Amino acid sequence: MSEIKAFDKADYGLYPVRVASFGPVVLGVPRPAGAPLDELLGDLGRRLEGYRMDEWEVSRTATYEIEANWKLIAENFMEYYHLPWVHPGLVKVSPINAHYRWQGPGTYIGFCTSPIASNAERAAGRGCRPSRASMRPTP
């Protein structure tokens, strides 16, 4: 951009962000000032404490290029009423009446399936994650 007259790189820098971590997740908050992360996440840490997130490691990654607005993708994930018609095989492992949305104090929303159907072990053999019970710390 040096060939453009009156262009000053200092006028076009990156926006400042706050960076914080939650277990193995690194979060960038687009406002440099504001509520601290623990206040924004409310009781999420307590809800997830049995998962020992500080011990997690990346085992594999995948990249998906989806030609859609990210808000539509998030909404599709949080809305499970379409599963019997669009994903009938998934409903055999993750029954519709076992899906729950939850939100506690804080600025997050959660989604879980509990319990996983009895044939979930066959799905786990195909590379799915283990059940919640197997991730809890032993007494």
Side-chain angles (χ1 to χ4, degrees):
M1 300 302 300
S2 60
E3 63 276 358
I4 298 176
K5 294 180 181 182
F7 181 84
D8 185 355
K9 290 180 186 178
D11 294 334
Y12 298 94
L14 298 174
Y15 291 106
V17 297
R18 279 187 298 150
V19 177
S21 63
F22 178 76
V25 179
V26 177
L27 302 166
V29 181
R31 289 178 295 250
L37 181 64
D38 59 343
E39 183 179 320
L40 292 173
L41 295 180
D43 68 341
L44 186 60
R46 182 185 56 75
R47 284 181 179 262
L48 299 177
E49 65 189 6
Y51 290 99
R52 303 184 311 215
M53 290 178 66
D54 57 331
E55 299 174 21
W56 288 17
E57 295 179 7
V58 175
S59 63
R60 68 179 171 225
T61 63
T63 301
Y64 300 94
E65 292 187 27
I66 301 171
E67 293 186 34
N69 184 307
W70 69 269
K71 292 176 246 177
L72 294 175
I73 301 302
E75 178 67 23
N76 180 269
F77 171 75
M78 298 305 291
E79 179 278 301
Y80 45 85
Y81 299 110
H82 73 277
L83 294 179
W85 298 275
V86 180
H87 310 288
L90 177 61
V91 175
K92 292 176 183 172
V93 176
S94 180
I96 193 75
N97 62 352
H99 290 196
Y100 304 96
R101 291 176 64 163
W102 43 267
Q103 183 170 3
T107 56
Y108 70 89
I109 187 166
F111 172 79
C112 66
T113 304
S114 178
I116 300 294
S118 60
N119 61 350
E121 293 307 316
R122 282 182 283 157
R126 293 191 303 266
C128 297
R129 301 208 185 288
S131 67
R132 289 187 312 159
S134 66
M135 295 171 65
R136 291 189 177 139
T138 53

